[in-house]
Amino acid sequence: MGQYKANSINSKSFILTIENTRIGELNYTEWYSFKAEIKLADNSIYQLEPKGFWDSKIELKKAEKTLLEFKMGWKGIVIKTNFNENEKNYLLKLKGLLSNKFILVDAEENEILVVDTDFKWNKFNFDYTIETSTEFDTMENKELMLLTILHCVNYYLTIIVAVT
């Protein structure tokens, strides 16, 4: 089981680490934008691009190839991956109605990841702690998935704030 930290450098950039080793970063083009870039430790770059009416769906792309997409659903954020032509579905949802934790469940509803949000009043942004299961740790493209999930949580929090 892994324990990752995602720290906000400013309101537009997050650094993901495990045991003080940089895994990658998530960078937004502008404040409160759904368009972002993921840069992994090996310097590979991916784009997160909103699609559809009201940016209802976000796609993760490498060049022109879509590797993952997610959208808000009634139960949470529905994530569909397509790494190496192997499609899998996940659901990211709040652990409880008034919780500050998100969980990722697979198609069999096994909890494979927990994201704990920590709002920093002095910086007016969030830091995150992510705990992964053994199942998640063996997943292909797990670093890319972690940074995308971080974007999903930010997306969820932005939508909720906009609705209230």
Side-chain angles (χ1 to χ4, degrees):
M1 291 186 12
Q3 185 164 12
Y4 298 83
K5 299 275 186 198
N7 297 98
S8 178
I9 304 308
N10 53 43
S11 61
K12 298 190 314 182
S13 298
F14 294 84
I15 304 296
L16 180 68
T17 60
I18 185 168
E19 298 175 2
N20 295 321
T21 301
R22 180 179 268 190
I23 303 298
E25 53 189 77
L26 173 66
N27 298 303
Y28 291 92
T29 57
E30 54 192 57
W31 194 59
Y32 273 104
S33 171
F34 295 138
K35 188 173 185 176
E37 177 182 270
I38 291 176
K39 184 176 180 184
L40 297 179
D42 67 0
N43 289 322
S44 57
I45 296 176
Y46 302 82
Q47 291 77 37
L48 287 155
E49 299 176 356
K51 300 287 181 192
F53 194 61
W54 289 324
D55 297 338
S56 59
K57 179 170 66 170
I58 310 285
E59 293 180 343
L60 174 69
K61 292 186 169 197
K62 173 83 171 169
E64 293 300 314
K65 182 173 179 158
T66 300
L67 303 172
L68 177 151
E69 65 181 42
F70 68 85
K71 62 183 176 181
M72 187 71 83
W74 287 108
K75 294 182 179 181
I77 295 178
V78 178
I79 302 170
K80 182 172 68 171
T81 65
N82 193 17
F83 298 123
N84 300 322
E85 307 305 321
N86 185 14
E87 188 176 300
K88 293 191 177 177
N89 294 297
Y90 302 92
L91 180 66
L92 182 69
K93 60 184 181 176
L94 276 172
K95 190 158 180 121
L97 185 59
L98 299 175
S99 178
N100 65 335
K101 292 185 181 186
F102 291 82
I103 58 171
L104 182 71
V105 295
D106 62 14
E108 291 79 37
E109 299 203 21
N110 298 315
E111 187 176 302
I112 60 172
L113 177 143
V114 177
V115 179
D116 190 4
T117 62
D118 182 18
F119 186 72
K120 301 292 185 188
W121 284 100
N122 58 340
K123 298 189 300 181
F124 205 64
N125 55 25
F126 285 94
D127 287 340
Y128 304 96
T129 302
I130 305 170
E131 291 184 35
T132 59
S133 68
T134 306
E135 179 185 343
F136 185 88
D137 292 339
T138 61
M139 181 185 292
E140 60 181 316
N141 297 303
K142 69 178 178 182
E143 294 85 3
L144 191 53
M145 188 75 167
L146 283 165
L147 287 157
T148 302
I149 289 168
L150 179 61
H151 183 65
C152 288
V153 171
N154 288 333
Y155 175 79
Y156 186 94
L157 293 171
T158 301
I159 294 294
I160 295 304
V161 167
V163 171
T164 56

